[in-house]
Amino acid sequence: MTYPPNVRTAPEHEREQSPVPATVPAPPQRGVLSVTADKVRAAATTEPGRLQIIGAVLALLVVAFGAVTAFEIADRAAAADDVVGRSQPLSADAAAIYRSLADADTAAASGFLAGAQEPRDVHDRYEKDIEEASRLLVKAAANTEASTKSGQEITTLNKELPRYTGLIERARANNRQGLPLGGAYIRYANQRMSKVMLPAAERLYAAETGRLGEDSDSARAWPFFSLGLGVVALAGLVWAQRRNYRRTNRVFNHGLLVATAASTVLLLWLAVGHTVARSELHGADVNGQQSLDVLNRARIDSLKARANENLTLVARGAVLTADGRNDKYETDYSTDMKALGEELGRAGKLADDDQGRGPVAKAVDAVSEWQGRHRTARTADDSGDYEGARTQIIGSKDSTGESFERVDDALKQALAHEQGEFTRAAKDGQGALGGLPTGAAALAALAAVAAIVGVNRRLSEYR
């Protein structure tokens, strides 16, 4: 017979009050970074481990150097491309829109002043200017977002241009019939041009020129981060070779030597290439764009002065200044001619060669001639000789119109020269950055591989 073991069972209330044994806490979980740090510290206690760490750091430095260089120079190269292919052409188109509108207004006033039979060449010039302005507005709209400031100015000009041409056609129709209402239409058209359209065109030009300046500044910004990483990477490679020499008494490690050479080439390419690009783009701005800006404004001033000169005879004193004392168009003519003289003075100072200074000097001489002939015309008009004054203004010989054409031709020549100067310098700056992003990636990869190979050569001595 089997008996149960003699074990005393605790009463129920004693079992409930028995202490529960404490749970042993689990060891804390270690993060990946902590484990990696321990492995690195352990490796650093031996020479092979230290060599592996050095090789990894050197490879990381040269790869970072190449990647950052490729990124920064690609950004600056894109900005340089915008200067050559987008910003400056848009700025030039905006200036051409302004000039075309101002010239159309001048031609319209000249044609009206000629009488019922408008000269064919004057009519063709007006039509050509309107067509050119329309074409450039379409082109500008296609390359500009409607929500931007430039887009808003383009919208304004597109709305106003048909209204302006409609007013001109009404002025012509009345002029052919000998009705005095034509003069009112031509004056109102000029008012819309001078008060609404030309200011909008000027704001468009200012916006596009401002964008050109921003792109030029972006392209010329120093790549400080790339240069700093390059210096650090090169210093690391030199330190590694010096360390190798001190421990092994070997002058060269071929892998580290190749890595150092590749990094040096990249650093020099970066510094020299960007310096050349920066210099050329700066030259394009100073010797090209600044001169273009001044010459564009000078040409616009001459066009506005010519339109006001014509309208002085069209209005015949019917439109006065705000104080009611002087003829408005004659006053505006004087203001425009003063501005023209100032702009030509600045253009002469900015011109850096004889090809740039020559046309400006011709324009200055023609302006002086223009002012002299204008005084003669005003004397005739003030004495009651309207026909003599009109001949002096729009005649084919020894007239202010002839002097105006000389000014305009000289400014065209100067603008063409400065545009060529800008384009050459900007393209040289653009070319100085060409290939650098790709070359940076290739040289950095070569340097990284060479550094690893050089370190592995040392490691093989411990196996």
Side-chain angles (χ1 to χ4, degrees):
M1 182 173 181
T2 305
Y3 296 93
N6 188 15
V7 178
R8 181 177 178 272
T9 302
E12 185 69 21
H13 67 278
E14 293 183 6
R15 291 199 303 270
E16 292 178 356
Q17 297 176 358
S18 302
V20 180
T23 303
V24 178
Q29 296 293 327
R30 303 184 64 194
V32 175
L33 291 177
S34 178
V35 173
T36 303
D38 287 345
K39 289 182 178 180
V40 171
R41 281 194 291 269
T45 60
T46 64
E47 180 60 16
R50 286 192 288 269
L51 287 173
Q52 288 178 333
I53 295 172
I54 290 171
V57 171
L58 291 176
L60 180 62
L61 279 175
V62 294
V63 167
F65 174 37
V68 172
T69 298
F71 175 78
E72 286 195 323
I73 296 303
D75 179 69
R76 283 151 181 78
D81 291 343
D82 286 340
V83 168
V84 175
R86 182 179 64 89
S87 303
Q88 206 281 327
L90 285 175
S91 176
D93 286 347
I97 290 171
Y98 198 142
R99 288 197 306 269
S100 296
L101 293 174
D103 194 52
D105 196 50
T106 299
S110 297
F112 186 90
L113 188 60
Q117 299 298 321
E118 183 179 13
R120 186 65 188 176
D121 59 334
V122 176
H123 179 79
D124 290 344
R125 181 170 181 168
Y126 167 82
E127 294 291 339
K128 182 180 178 181
D129 287 331
I130 294 298
E131 290 176 3
E132 180 71 1
S134 300
R135 182 186 68 81
L136 292 174
L137 283 171
V138 171
K139 180 182 176 183
N143 292 281
T144 307
E145 295 183 6
S147 60
T148 62
K149 184 176 180 180
S150 295
Q152 294 170 2
E153 303 301 345
I154 292 169
T155 300
T156 298
L157 290 170
N158 279 325
K159 289 180 179 178
E160 290 293 331
L161 188 57
R163 296 174 184 172
Y164 173 81
T165 55
L167 290 170
I168 293 298
E169 292 307 318
R170 291 180 184 179
R172 284 174 173 165
N174 282 274
N175 197 31
R176 284 193 293 267
Q177 297 175 39
L179 300 176
L181 188 60
Y185 277 119
I186 198 73
R187 292 195 301 271
Y188 184 58
N190 172 263
Q191 183 180 0
R192 297 299 298 175
M193 176 65 76
S194 60
K195 299 295 185 182
V196 180
M197 297 178 69
L198 289 182
E202 186 173 11
R203 290 191 295 269
L204 174 62
Y205 173 68
E208 295 301 333
T209 302
R211 184 160 65 170
L212 169 60
E214 291 174 1
D215 288 338
S216 180
D217 289 342
S218 296
R220 289 186 285 140
W222 279 106
F224 288 114
F225 198 21
S226 298
L227 291 169
L229 269 177
V231 171
V232 171
L234 196 59
L237 287 165
V238 172
W239 173 83
Q241 290 182 88
R242 184 171 180 273
R243 181 182 185 277
N244 180 65
Y245 170 73
R246 294 179 64 183
R247 290 176 177 269
T248 65
N249 206 29
R250 294 172 183 169
V251 178
F252 296 119
N253 177 293
H254 294 113
L256 293 177
L257 190 63
V258 171
T260 302
S263 298
T264 301
V265 169
L266 177 54
L267 184 59
L268 290 175
W269 189 1
L270 170 63
V272 175
H274 190 271
T275 299
V276 172
R278 181 182 173 86
S279 175
E280 293 293 342
L281 289 170
H282 177 71
D285 178 57
V286 173
N287 300 323
Q289 183 55 36
Q290 290 184 21
S291 293
L292 285 170
D293 184 51
V294 171
L295 289 168
N296 278 321
R297 295 185 185 281
R299 193 176 180 198
I300 290 164
D301 287 334
S302 71
L303 290 167
K304 289 164 64 178
R306 178 60 178 168
N308 284 315
E309 182 180 50
N310 290 332
L311 288 167
T312 300
L313 289 184
V314 172
R316 305 190 70 175
V319 182
L320 302 178
T321 56
D323 58 9
R325 296 180 179 179
N326 300 301
D327 183 283
K328 177 184 181 304
Y329 296 115
E330 178 65 20
T331 301
D332 289 344
Y333 162 83
S334 299
T335 301
D336 294 331
M337 291 299 285
K338 181 180 178 181
L340 173 59
E342 292 173 352
E343 298 293 351
L344 288 175
R346 282 193 283 268
K349 292 178 181 178
L350 288 171
D352 60 340
D353 55 21
D354 291 338
Q355 288 180 302
R357 286 187 289 268
V360 174
K362 291 179 182 178
V364 171
D365 292 340
V367 166
S368 297
E369 180 186 74
W370 182 1
Q371 290 173 319
R373 290 175 176 178
H374 178 81
R375 286 191 292 269
T376 302
R378 292 310 312 147
T379 300
D381 189 38
D382 292 340
S383 63
D385 185 8
Y386 176 78
E387 290 299 325
R390 192 178 71 158
T391 301
Q392 189 69 24
I393 297 294
I394 63 172
S396 59
K397 185 178 180 182
D398 296 335
S399 66
T400 60
E402 187 180 29
S403 299
F404 161 74
E405 292 296 339
R406 287 183 57 200
V407 173
D408 199 53
D409 289 342
L411 290 174
K412 284 180 184 178
Q413 184 181 352
L415 281 165
H417 172 72
E418 297 300 338
Q419 182 64 57
E421 291 284 294
F422 176 90
T423 302
R424 281 191 294 273
K427 285 187 175 181
D428 287 343
Q430 179 189 31
L433 298 176
L436 184 50
T438 302
L443 287 171
L446 173 63
V449 171
I452 292 172
V453 169
V455 171
N456 284 340
R457 181 66 182 270
R458 286 279 295 119
L459 283 172
S460 66
E461 300 173 1
Y462 289 90
R463 298 182 183 133

